[in-house]
Amino acid sequence: MGVDLLAGQGYEVVASTGDPDAHEWLRARGAAEVIDRLDIDDIRPLDEQRWAAAVDCVGGAPLAKVLSQTAIGGLVAASGNTAGLGLQTSVAPFILRGITLAGIDSANHPIDDRRALWRRLAGDMRPSSLDASQEVGLDDLEATLDAILAGATRGRVIVDLGD
């Protein structure tokens, strides 16, 4: 969704994934380039400046790597923790490059702001990937949830509740 939204706003998006089969899928959503998951074996406090901004939805070591590679004055929005809650880094990216780490807390964000954003996402910012949704009925829901948890799905799943 992030790739689609950012590309739709005119940004050049580089997507990162550990799934080689997802490269074409990400390009179809607007990624100008798709790279393999960042090498997180050797994370230095400051690395080569590669990113003006980043969206991180996994946290942990990948977030530390992205922070070390964010350019002077850059911003990193963090919204997830599937790679862990810990963050092994230093203050160097924040002090020496003046980058900002912005945490995204959608659950506690004011409802009026969320409604305004939802209206924009349904209107002028509507991601094209919403048109490529998978629809399942209640009979298929358990298998679909298992597939989501196993990382075997991509995109949005709509549950048809029937009559």
Side-chain angles (χ1 to χ4, degrees):
M1 188 67 66
V3 170
D4 193 338
L5 284 170
L6 290 167
Q9 295 297 308
Y11 292 98
E12 182 178 331
V13 178
V14 176
S16 173
T17 181
D19 180 358
D21 295 331
H23 287 221
E24 286 306 315
W25 186 82
L26 288 164
R27 282 188 190 91
R29 269 127 200 94
E33 181 181 356
V34 181
I35 60 173
D36 288 328
R37 196 173 281 149
L38 297 173
D39 177 14
I40 55 173
D41 291 334
D42 181 30
I43 302 173
R44 303 180 307 184
L46 291 176
D47 206 336
E48 174 188 355
Q49 297 181 58
R50 297 181 69 183
W51 320 116
V55 176
D56 177 88
C57 57
V58 296
L63 175 56
K65 184 70 169 187
V66 166
L67 290 168
S68 76
Q69 295 179 330
T70 300
I72 293 171
L75 180 131
V76 176
S79 64
N81 58 21
T82 57
L85 293 171
L87 183 60
Q88 297 296 324
T89 189
S90 74
V91 297
F94 308 105
I95 294 174
L96 298 177
R97 291 192 180 154
I99 69 165
T100 299
L101 174 60
I104 306 302
D105 176 15
S106 61
N108 295 304
H109 199 75
I111 191 65
D112 289 341
D113 290 348
R114 285 190 275 165
R115 286 182 178 135
L117 178 58
W118 293 333
R119 280 190 292 279
R120 290 207 58 202
L121 288 171
D124 67 301
M125 289 179 62
R126 182 180 171 82
S128 62
S129 60
L130 291 183
D131 298 330
S133 300
Q134 173 188 355
E135 189 168 321
V136 299
L138 288 175
D139 292 341
D140 298 320
L141 185 56
E142 186 173 349
T144 301
L145 291 172
D146 289 341
I148 290 170
L149 291 173
T153 63
R154 291 195 185 102
R156 178 173 81 151
V157 175
I158 298 171
V159 179
D160 181 353
L161 300 176
D163 295 327

